[in-house]
Amino acid sequence: MPAPSSKSAFARDKEQITFRPASLPGVYSMTVRNGRRCWSERHERFAFASVATDNVAVGTWHYRRWHSQRTRPGTMMLFEPDTLHVTASIEGGGADFDVLFVEPELVAPWLSEAGYRGAAHLDAPQCADADVCAAFRALNAELATLLRIASSAAK
């Protein structure tokens, strides 16, 4: 079997980050492929980070009162506005994940309907519910498709 060309090896090892506004005001989307950096971010919005189901990388991170958290394939990290998360390590290769950033005023009506009053805090920093995580991955993929269609139509 021939060795891969240096170009394909480089492309496979290169981190790719795409950040874009979604077609909904107040919603932004970020896609990371082969991510190897340890992110530290103070969140200004709610953020829902869906880890790809075939992801081999495992990240260790810290958030609010929860100590070490570890990502797993198919799970989702949940972040609130005005909070800091710090990724301590990425092991096993590059990480693939998608993030939806949503302005707090868009989330407030949903929280109110769910019975939250005042500042609401998420019960946990991760979600492992397969259906919920799959819905967020599908939404992010749909937003990316709509943006590509809109970009093509504008040319």
Side-chain angles (χ1 to χ4, degrees):
M1 178 179 344
S5 72
S6 60
K7 182 178 179 184
S8 65
F10 174 76
R12 186 175 53 242
D13 291 337
K14 186 177 179 185
E15 179 181 60
Q16 298 175 341
I17 301 171
T18 305
F19 186 82
R20 61 191 172 269
S23 51
L24 302 170
V27 178
Y28 306 88
S29 177
M30 181 174 76
T31 299
V32 176
R33 296 295 174 260
N34 201 34
R36 297 175 183 273
R37 70 182 68 200
C38 289
W39 296 83
S40 292
E41 183 173 351
R42 181 188 166 279
H43 294 277
E44 297 176 8
R45 301 164 182 85
F46 282 94
F48 307 94
S50 305
V51 180
T53 56
D54 60 351
N55 194 63
V56 295
V58 174
T60 302
W61 49 285
H62 307 282
Y63 178 69
R64 290 187 55 215
R65 69 181 179 271
W66 295 282
H67 299 290
S68 274
Q69 299 292 316
R70 296 193 43 95
T71 60
R72 295 182 315 278
T75 61
M76 189 166 48
M77 298 174 284
L78 311 170
F79 304 111
E80 300 171 16
D82 298 320
T83 59
L84 173 72
H85 99 267
V86 177
T87 304
S89 67
I90 304 289
E91 304 158 15
D96 295 342
F97 58 95
D98 300 309
V99 186
L100 286 178
F101 299 96
V102 183
E103 294 291 345
E105 56 271 13
L106 295 177
V107 176
W110 300 335
L111 294 175
S112 180
E113 284 179 29
Y116 286 97
R117 300 292 176 250
H121 294 289
L122 302 170
D123 291 336
Q126 290 194 76
C127 174
D129 183 291
D131 292 335
V132 171
C133 295
F136 271 92
R137 282 191 300 279
L139 177 59
N140 208 343
E142 185 65 26
L143 292 172
T145 299
L146 291 174
L147 234 77
R148 278 193 298 275
I149 291 169
S151 295
S152 295
K155 291 180 182 179

